[in-house]
Amino acid sequence: MNIKKPILASVALGVSTMLWGATNELVVQTNKPGAEIQPTMYGLFFEDINYAADGGLYAEMVKNRSFEFPQNMMGWRQFGNVTLKDDGPFERNPHYVRLASPGHRHKHTGIENEGFFGVGVKAGEEYRFSVWARTPEGGEGKIRIELIDPASNGENQAFEKKNLTIDSKEWKKYEVTLTPKVTDPKARLRIFLTTPDVTVDLEHVSLFPVDTWKGHQNGMRKDIATALAELKPGVFRFPGGCIVEGTDLETRYQWKNSVGQVENRPLNENRWHYTFAHRFYPDYYQSYGLGFFEFFQLSEEIGSEPLPILNVGLSCQYQNNDMHAHVAVDSLDCYIQDALDLIEFANGDTTTTWGRLRADMGHPASFNLKFIGIGNEQWGPEYVERLKPFMAAIRKAYPEIKIIGSSGPDSEGKKFDYLWPEMTNLKVDLVDEHFYRPESWFLSQGARYDNYDRKGPKVFAGEYACHGKGKKYNHFNAALLEAAFMTGLERNADVVEMATYAPLLAHVEGWQWRPDMIWFDNLNTVKTASYYVQQLYSLNKGTNVLPLTLDKKPVTGAEGQNGLFASAVVDKTTGEYIVKVANTSDEPQELDIKFAGLKKKESITSGSVTTLSSADLNLENTIEHPDNIVPVTSTFTVDSRDSWTTTIAPKTFAIYKFKK
Ligand code: AHR
């Protein structure tokens, strides 16, 4: 560090003032491009936690649409003569309801769905109502579909109505489009039987916006999927997280149940419905409507490598000390077969059993799966001994597939220290590290990967987030420290090949875990400061790391480096140099950015700076104020051939992009 000297800092209203700061000389070695930054470097971790799937990304608006929750009418109100039956057309979802005469011309029969924290509809948008129905005793039955405002004080609760005629004794799918004229985040869907003398059976009652992501009928919420796509994620990990393990093996995520006809995918219990007693959601289940086909399809559409994680024969180790809760090592065959079949489902040609199913579902071409994770954040010898046979089988059948193992739930310590050498011995391709850690940890880990073995497995920072003060919020300071820490991922791109912040999504009324990257309610999406950090890295990842020094030493964020963290890359496709700097200190800092090794005729001419900053470290983006913290970009010209001086404000993450 240079000796402190007064520097000029611009302040509001164009008044300049003298501040005491430090000059920091950052030297970018332009002629020594180093490690390639993998296209997978910055990606997404998806888990159905916080109502991320049903009630979130998956655009279905009806809860318990197949009447298969253990309390079959959960989420539904019923009036008049409604009976539950269990011999429906879908073998794995056999329940349905029968609407029959209420017994008096002034009475009504029907059902009403509460949606996920309400049914959120927007004025002028189209919603596709669909239902499987029949008139079991013959005749022509009619139902009226209504969107109602349960809190209405007006003349009419129903603000949109449509009629449907059920004209067959056989089960058929019926559809009608609703187009509300008003916006209501908390409407309900009501269905009236309007022909009391003709009994009607209803199954798989569904309501989707017509305008889903890419227009898919069994689709994703467009605003949320668009927010994911705008991150340009290199990898998309799914379906979790702990839901891969389940509270018990019965409730683990079973991908085979999540594919095929959507009406016939069996319900699964979501472990997050009871994981935290203080955030208890008894109506949290997995319809599997967002299943593995949809995950693969979404990965493809947002330009990510798909990365499925499968159960290794262990249920959640936090919740099961007893080894009987897990699969015995000699009984893993069907779990291993699940992994092999999944690869066939993703990549197999259409003459194979699972490749055929993929084609039947609308995707004859391979999904080009390259990675598979076996086990979530498992630990101990019980993990290693189960992973081994999986690896042998996958390597034998699919040697081209990269296998990801786990280093357990901790960023360091006993479990971690045991597993890393085991993973190296097993020759997994990548090791999935998890770290939800406080501010102090993130501040101290700038050099975490500097000394990792360059010849061992690569790192997948598969779940991480700064859990700041009170661990509660997505406040700016947490995002800033994530940005600072990520300079170390980038500088070590020869070791770190993937990184995914976690968790990804949370419903403001239904979360179990925070912070999260994107929040949403029934109508809106909020990108947090952490989202913008991820996006800034992803959009500016460049192609190769460039050596960088701060006052002649490697930049590690260590003491004596003025709270500065930095990395530099070149984008060989555009020729740009990109320098990322996080100033975690309370002081403005002068940066003297120098470009060493330019060719004779080369010179830096111009650039842009994008900053993410907030004077209030506790500030966060909210539904009401989604733009409290957003990146701001400006451009500049560079007069000197090979250097540029600027001041980075306190508590700021900045991306400087230089053109030659
Ligand atoms: O991201 C939330 C949880 O954190 C994940 O399900 C689990 O893998 C980790 O413990």
Side-chain angles (χ1 to χ4, degrees):
M1 179 187 57
N2 293 347
I3 300 162
K4 283 197 170 189
K5 65 176 189 184
I7 58 168
L8 272 180
S10 296
V11 292
L13 306 173
V15 181
S16 291
T17 189
M18 286 294 222
L19 289 176
W20 282 93
T23 300
N24 302 279
E25 186 192 59
L26 285 165
V27 179
V28 182
Q29 198 64 43
T30 61
N31 57 351
K32 290 193 180 141
E36 236 177 74
I37 295 156
Q38 295 303 309
T40 52
M41 184 69 169
Y42 303 111
L44 297 175
F45 160 94
F46 180 89
E47 174 166 24
D48 188 4
I49 182 173
N50 307 318
Y51 287 84
D54 293 84
L57 177 60
Y58 184 50
E60 174 63 85
M61 299 159 88
V62 176
K63 184 165 68 189
N64 190 14
R65 63 187 174 187
S66 296
F67 311 99
E68 295 299 332
F69 283 19
Q71 286 79 30
N72 295 80
M73 294 308 287
M74 192 181 249
W76 293 94
R77 296 213 288 196
Q78 48 188 313
F79 45 93
N81 185 357
V82 179
T83 44
L84 181 75
K85 314 287 279 181
D86 66 1
D87 58 346
F90 305 111
E91 202 190 337
R92 300 200 286 183
N93 288 321
H95 291 95
Y96 63 95
V97 289
R98 174 158 295 173
L99 309 188
S101 170
H104 191 285
R105 70 190 171 87
H106 281 292
K107 296 185 183 175
H108 301 288
T109 289
I111 51 174
E112 191 180 294
N113 193 269
E114 66 189 27
F116 297 91
F117 312 100
V119 172
V121 291
K122 287 186 183 165
E125 296 275 318
E126 292 183 315
Y127 296 88
R128 185 183 292 110
F129 171 87
S130 69
V131 64
W132 285 76
R134 66 173 182 179
T135 52
E137 288 142 13
E140 203 167 81
K142 289 193 195 318
I143 52 174
R144 190 171 68 239
I145 323 302
E146 295 185 350
L147 286 171
I148 63 152
D149 172 3
S152 166
N153 290 324
E155 293 279 302
N156 201 341
Q157 290 174 324
F159 57 90
E160 170 64 351
K161 302 178 194 178
K162 282 280 163 63
N163 294 312
L164 253 187
T165 302
I166 314 302
D167 59 5
S168 170
K169 260 180 111 168
E170 303 306 319
W171 285 104
K172 267 183 14 186
K173 187 175 177 180
Y174 296 83
E175 277 185 13
V176 69
T177 303
L178 304 176
T179 314
K181 289 194 184 61
V182 296
T183 294
D184 190 337
K186 290 195 171 285
R188 286 200 189 133
L189 178 72
R190 187 181 278 169
I191 304 172
F192 271 105
L193 177 69
T194 54
T195 49
D197 48 335
V198 181
T199 298
V200 169
D201 289 342
L202 302 178
E203 161 66 311
H204 198 89
V205 182
S206 171
L207 184 70
F208 270 87
V210 170
D211 190 17
T212 56
W213 166 257
K214 301 279 180 199
H216 298 303
Q217 289 210 6
N218 184 51
M220 309 299 137
R221 240 177 82 167
K222 195 176 182 180
D223 57 339
I224 300 180
T226 302
L228 304 187
E230 286 173 356
L231 281 157
K232 295 231 182 309
V235 66
F236 185 75
R237 168 186 169 156
F238 55 87
C242 288
I243 64 161
V244 169
E245 302 158 41
T247 293
D248 44 34
L249 288 169
E250 214 186 1
T251 54
R252 74 189 190 279
Y253 195 101
Q254 297 195 52
W255 77 266
K256 284 178 178 167
N257 287 344
S258 80
V259 294
Q261 188 184 8
V262 75
E263 289 87 344
N264 207 18
R265 300 182 192 172
L267 189 80
N268 193 23
E269 189 174 276
N270 189 316
R271 57 155 296 148
W272 294 108
H273 108 204
Y274 44 65
T275 300
F276 300 127
H278 58 286
R279 301 286 303 171
F280 183 64
Y281 293 91
D283 63 351
Y284 196 1
Y285 287 85
Q286 294 171 276
S287 69
Y288 280 147
L290 169 51
F292 265 44
F293 178 86
E294 290 77 19
F295 281 131
F296 278 118
Q297 189 175 52
L298 182 64
S299 305
E300 185 173 82
E301 290 170 349
I302 61 178
S304 305
E305 294 296 344
L307 168 47
I309 308 282
L310 294 192
N311 188 294
V312 70
L314 293 169
S315 55
C316 178
Q317 287 170 276
Y318 283 114
Q319 294 173 326
N320 298 282
N321 295 328
D322 180 359
M323 283 314 288
H324 292 108
H326 309 304
V327 186
V329 179
D330 58 6
S331 305
L332 283 168
D333 286 0
C334 74
Y335 286 72
I336 294 172
Q337 196 57 48
D338 273 0
L340 298 175
D341 290 343
L342 178 64
I343 300 170
E344 184 177 294
F345 177 73
N347 295 354
D349 68 47
T350 55
T351 60
T352 62
T353 310
W354 293 101
R356 177 79 253 149
L357 176 61
R358 184 193 69 241
D360 290 347
M361 291 182 75
H363 201 287
S366 156
F367 279 122
N368 200 10
L369 177 70
K370 300 187 181 106
F371 305 94
I372 193 166
I374 303 296
N376 175 39
E377 57 179 27
Q378 320 305 156
W379 64 78
E382 60 268 43
Y383 173 47
V384 177
E385 62 193 3
R386 284 169 178 75
L387 179 57
K388 258 186 211 162
F390 273 87
M391 291 203 50
I394 296 170
R395 292 277 193 240
K396 186 162 171 224
Y398 299 103
E400 71 285 6
I401 296 286
K402 291 195 170 171
I403 302 176
I404 300 178
S406 160
S407 61
D410 304 323
S411 48
E412 51 269 303
K414 220 167 137 194
K415 292 183 179 117
F416 182 91
D417 292 343
Y418 165 74
L419 276 176
W420 250 103
E422 293 290 341
M423 292 301 116
T424 307
N425 287 342
L426 279 180
K427 294 196 170 45
V428 301
D429 296 287
L430 291 105
V431 175
D432 178 10
E433 296 190 352
H434 292 182
F435 28 89
Y436 299 103
R437 293 289 182 261
E439 282 114 333
S440 52
W441 186 92
F442 275 81
L443 266 173
S444 69
Q445 295 291 311
R448 177 179 178 87
Y449 295 107
D450 291 2
N451 299 316
Y452 265 50
D453 178 5
R454 268 41 206 173
K455 297 202 183 89
K458 304 297 178 193
V459 171
F460 169 30
E463 290 187 32
Y464 69 94
C466 175
H467 282 196
K469 250 184 229 127
K471 200 188 151 183
K472 286 184 177 158
Y473 304 105
N474 276 98
H475 57 63
F476 173 74
N477 196 39
L480 175 67
L481 298 184
E482 286 152 8
F485 168 75
M486 287 172 76
T487 57
L489 303 182
E490 194 158 276
R491 282 186 293 99
N492 288 283
D494 55 335
V495 168
V496 183
E497 294 196 342
M498 297 177 183
T500 55
Y501 177 100
L504 178 60
L505 296 171
H507 194 296
V508 291
E509 291 178 65
W511 60 270
Q512 294 83 46
W513 181 294
R514 59 185 182 176
D516 304 285
M517 206 207 296
I518 299 170
W519 288 82
F520 57 89
D521 64 11
N522 284 352
L523 300 178
N524 309 286
T525 308
V526 183
K527 296 167 176 171
T528 62
S530 294
Y531 172 97
Y532 289 117
V533 166
Q534 295 296 322
Q535 190 181 44
L536 288 172
Y537 269 93
S538 178
L539 300 187
N540 297 289
K541 66 175 172 292
T543 56
N544 294 77
V545 182
L546 291 176
L548 176 72
T549 55
L550 170 56
D551 297 331
K552 307 205 166 36
K553 291 191 199 119
V555 206
T556 59
E559 254 179 64
Q561 294 197 321
N562 290 340
L564 289 176
F565 294 73
S567 59
V569 298
V570 58
D571 188 330
K572 285 188 174 171
T573 56
T574 62
E576 288 169 321
Y577 301 123
I578 305 168
V579 180
K580 302 182 180 80
V581 183
N583 179 8
T584 63
S585 78
D586 296 328
E587 303 291 331
Q589 309 261 3
E590 188 174 302
L591 304 178
D592 189 7
I593 304 177
K594 296 204 160 100
F595 297 88
L598 289 176
K599 289 192 190 122
K600 247 190 187 165
K601 286 189 185 147
E602 283 180 342
S603 68
I604 306 294
T605 57
S606 62
S608 67
V609 54
T610 303
T611 56
L612 196 66
S613 192
S614 168
D616 175 358
L617 294 183
N618 291 321
L619 193 65
E620 49 175 358
N621 291 339
T622 61
I623 295 277
E624 296 73 30
H625 302 285
D627 296 333
N628 275 339
I629 310 157
V630 291
V632 178
T633 301
S634 59
T635 54
F636 54 83
T637 50
V638 180
D639 296 334
S640 146
R641 178 183 163 255
D642 60 0
S643 72
W644 186 66
T645 303
T646 187
T647 301
I648 182 168
K651 304 291 183 191
T652 296
F653 176 48
I655 301 221
Y656 304 100
K657 252 174 146 167
F658 297 91
K659 282 191 201 318
K660 284 182 278 197

